[in-house]
Amino acid sequence: MTDFRERIAAAYDVESFRREGQRLVDTLADYLAQAERGEGLPVLPWAAPAVSVDRFPAAFPEEPTGDFAELVARVLSGSNHLHHPRYVGHQVTAPVPLAALCDAVSSLLNNGMAVYEMGPVSTAMERNVLRWMAARLGLPESADGVLTSGGSLGNLTALLAARQAKAGYDAWNEGAHAGPPLAVLVPATAHYSLSRALRVMGWGQGGAIPVAVDERFRLHPDALGPALESATRQGRKVIAVVASAGSTATGAFDPLEPVADFCEHHGLWFHVDAAHGASAALSAAHRHQVRGIARADSVVWDAHKGLLMPALVTAVLFRDGARSFESFAQEASYLFGDTERPWSDVALRTMECTKEMMALKLYACLSVLGTRLFADAVTESYALTRRFAERLSQAGDFQVPVPPDCNILCFRHTPGHVPPEAWDALQARLRERLVTRGDFYLVQTKLPQGVFLRVTVINPLTTDADLDALMEALRTAARR
């Protein structure tokens, strides 16, 4: 075809779309069936980066080839299979399939959401999804917020609002150095995105003041006072305290009530990075672990962790909803007109201008599948992790440094034939063997005691039998 109108008509042809869509759904359904069984499919079909690059060359044809199905097959075969029951790696869940269909709707509609008229349905869904999430955390009806693209942007958004509220000067308009240098108290185990956000804000290395944690890697409330005094002696004005609910390294939940008391006493902003652990609020058995979160000025909650959503769907919630407008305070008349801070123009409150319809997948799944499914998934994942920790502790050839607070667990294999000084190297070698063979996907972390393996039991298809198989796979690999 040489005529542009003919070629563009073919690209948008409804019947071609119907055929490809039906074939794609069949392919994905077959893939899911295989992945969920874990039969004949490695968790990760390991290939070196250079090999993967060669498999997807940039030799794009000038004319149509019709090879979409072949391309999808190569994508599926070479990807990390999060629906495999032996995926216990990073904090990215095996999403419910219904959410993937919502992504197709979002991509086709492409309602960008910068202003209400560009995304009327998704804007309304986002507002009510956020209200539901805020209520689950016990936040007041005045709470409000936004959905954004991941916990890193979520933490930055919250800290920008904290700066505007507590700096004592207009840092947004006058600059980061228009007043005394600022700082935030953060647990020593806090996610790196917090330090990165503070550096992005221009606070430098001293912007994050580490607060000591206890033997279970939870923020020690008694260490807040000395940390505040130390920052003040350094000439820093502390404006906020960050606590973790489900820290990345170990899944620790900081004691939120005493942190809230400290912030209230000293007039500080209280932010909870609950990207991983906020979903505990849905579980009757575990919501006590986020007791005190309703006193936070801001909270970050990732739906792509505890709510079985595809990445990325992150809620940034503010106890005082008016504060949600203070993160990004500039004007953009070509988008927002002269209206005074309308809640419905979402880009007033997010880093993104154009934003996908991320509320659609969460709203649809809550509406169609019901909220109990998600609450039960949290409860079961925590219980499964604790049972696994007990079996490891009782085995004799494994060490568990700290009982799990949630569905994140650190442990290491310590066989009798390997001396303690070689344990660190052993964990790294064992992980490499299992991952490159495709038997399991797990990660590792470094704690004060040394290198540990780390699992996140985030796939609701994982069972006790899969975790027992992991123990045996590690033992077998250590004997080779």
Side-chain angles (χ1 to χ4, degrees):
M1 289 179 285
T2 58
D3 181 78
F4 170 72
R5 289 299 165 191
E6 292 179 7
R7 286 183 281 117
I8 203 69
Y12 283 77
D13 182 68
V14 172
E15 292 308 316
S16 295
F17 174 71
R18 190 189 312 280
R19 288 193 301 272
E20 292 288 2
Q22 290 172 347
R23 183 161 57 165
L24 176 62
V25 169
D26 286 342
T27 298
L28 293 178
D30 291 342
Y31 162 76
L32 272 177
Q34 185 181 14
E36 291 175 3
R37 292 194 305 268
E39 298 174 1
L41 188 71
V43 183
L44 170 64
W46 172 256
V51 173
S52 291
V53 170
D54 289 341
R55 288 176 178 172
F56 295 92
F60 303 118
E62 185 171 329
E63 299 296 335
T65 64
D67 286 339
F68 179 61
E70 185 273 335
L71 176 60
V72 169
R74 287 194 287 127
V75 169
L76 293 176
S77 65
S79 295
N80 200 329
H81 306 305
L82 275 65
H83 290 86
H84 195 297
R86 295 185 178 180
Y87 173 87
V88 286
H90 292 286
Q91 295 156 273
V92 184
T93 192
V96 289
L98 181 62
L101 299 181
C102 294
D103 270 336
V105 175
S106 174
S107 293
L108 188 66
L109 288 174
N110 202 28
N111 280 204
M113 291 193 66
V115 290
Y116 173 73
E117 64 194 45
M118 276 299 296
V121 171
S122 49
T123 299
M125 286 182 168
E126 179 166 323
R127 186 160 180 82
N128 283 321
V129 159
L130 289 164
R131 284 173 167 171
W132 178 82
M133 297 174 86
R136 302 291 76 73
L137 299 181
L139 293 168
E141 291 187 4
S142 61
D144 199 358
V146 293
L147 294 180
T148 192
S149 304
S152 295
L153 272 185
N155 281 324
L156 174 61
T157 301
L159 292 173
L160 284 169
R163 182 182 68 176
Q164 200 69 359
K166 297 293 185 179
Y169 58 92
D170 186 359
W172 182 265
N173 290 302
E174 298 174 16
H177 305 293
L182 305 176
V184 172
L185 305 184
V186 300
T189 54
H191 191 264
Y192 74 87
S193 66
L194 291 159
S195 176
R196 175 179 287 182
L198 296 173
R199 289 171 185 261
V200 168
M201 292 162 65
W203 298 10
Q205 183 176 359
I209 306 297
V211 181
V213 296
D214 62 18
E215 68 281 356
R216 297 193 63 171
F217 303 103
R218 298 167 176 169
L219 181 147
H220 206 304
D222 292 341
L224 288 170
L228 176 59
E229 293 171 6
S230 174
T232 303
R233 286 195 300 270
Q234 296 171 31
R236 293 269 179 175
K237 178 180 179 180
V238 174
I239 65 166
V241 178
V242 176
S244 298
S247 66
T248 299
T250 64
F253 281 70
D254 293 333
L256 303 182
E257 287 283 14
V259 178
D261 291 340
F262 182 87
C263 290
E264 184 175 323
H265 178 74
H266 291 278
L268 304 176
W269 184 280
F270 179 27
H271 174 62
V272 180
D273 180 1
H276 187 84
S279 297
L282 303 180
S283 169
H286 300 289
R287 64 172 60 109
H288 66 277
Q289 294 180 222
V290 292
R291 184 178 297 119
I293 200 168
R295 298 174 63 187
D297 294 290
S298 55
V299 178
V300 164
W301 181 354
D302 283 355
H304 55 272
K305 291 184 169 69
L307 289 176
L308 308 181
M309 291 294 107
L312 293 163
V313 185
T314 294
V316 190
L317 299 163
F318 295 90
R319 184 155 52 93
D320 177 359
R323 295 293 188 188
S324 66
F325 290 91
E326 296 183 357
S327 300
F328 308 100
Q330 85 282 18
E331 298 297 328
S333 59
Y334 62 92
L335 279 177
F336 307 122
D338 298 324
T339 306
E340 181 67 20
R341 302 203 313 184
W343 66 264
S344 53
D345 289 342
V346 178
L348 283 168
R349 298 180 288 163
T350 60
M351 177 68 78
E352 303 99 330
C353 180
T354 302
K355 187 178 76 171
E356 69 151 335
M357 301 168 65
M358 57 181 67
L360 171 61
K361 64 194 82 173
L362 183 52
Y363 187 96
C365 290
L366 290 171
S367 297
V368 174
L369 301 177
T371 61
R372 180 178 175 181
L373 174 71
F374 302 94
D376 288 349
V378 173
T379 302
E380 175 56 22
S381 68
Y382 284 29
L384 183 60
T385 307
R386 293 180 182 189
R387 293 196 299 270
F388 184 43
E390 291 173 1
R391 294 197 298 279
L392 289 167
S393 298
Q394 295 167 3
D397 57 343
F398 288 89
Q399 285 186 350
V400 177
V402 58
D405 278 352
C406 58
N407 57 338
I408 297 174
L409 175 65
C410 298
F411 66 97
R412 61 182 173 184
H413 184 33
T414 57
H417 68 277
V418 178
E421 61 268 21
W423 285 350
D424 283 3
L426 175 64
Q427 311 315 308
R429 189 166 68 252
L430 292 176
R431 177 188 179 272
E432 181 180 10
R433 287 182 182 176
L434 267 61
V435 170
T436 55
R437 282 170 50 91
D439 297 335
F440 288 86
Y441 187 91
L442 70 166
V443 298
Q444 67 186 51
T445 191
K446 191 168 185 180
L447 302 178
Q449 304 99 312
V451 175
F452 283 79
L453 301 172
R454 174 181 169 277
V455 297
T456 304
V457 187
I458 200 166
N459 181 350
L461 306 171
T462 301
T463 66
D464 289 285
D466 294 309
L467 298 176
D468 287 342
L470 173 58
M471 293 174 66
E472 290 308 311
L474 291 167
R475 286 169 171 150
T476 299
R479 288 193 292 266
R480 294 177 177 172

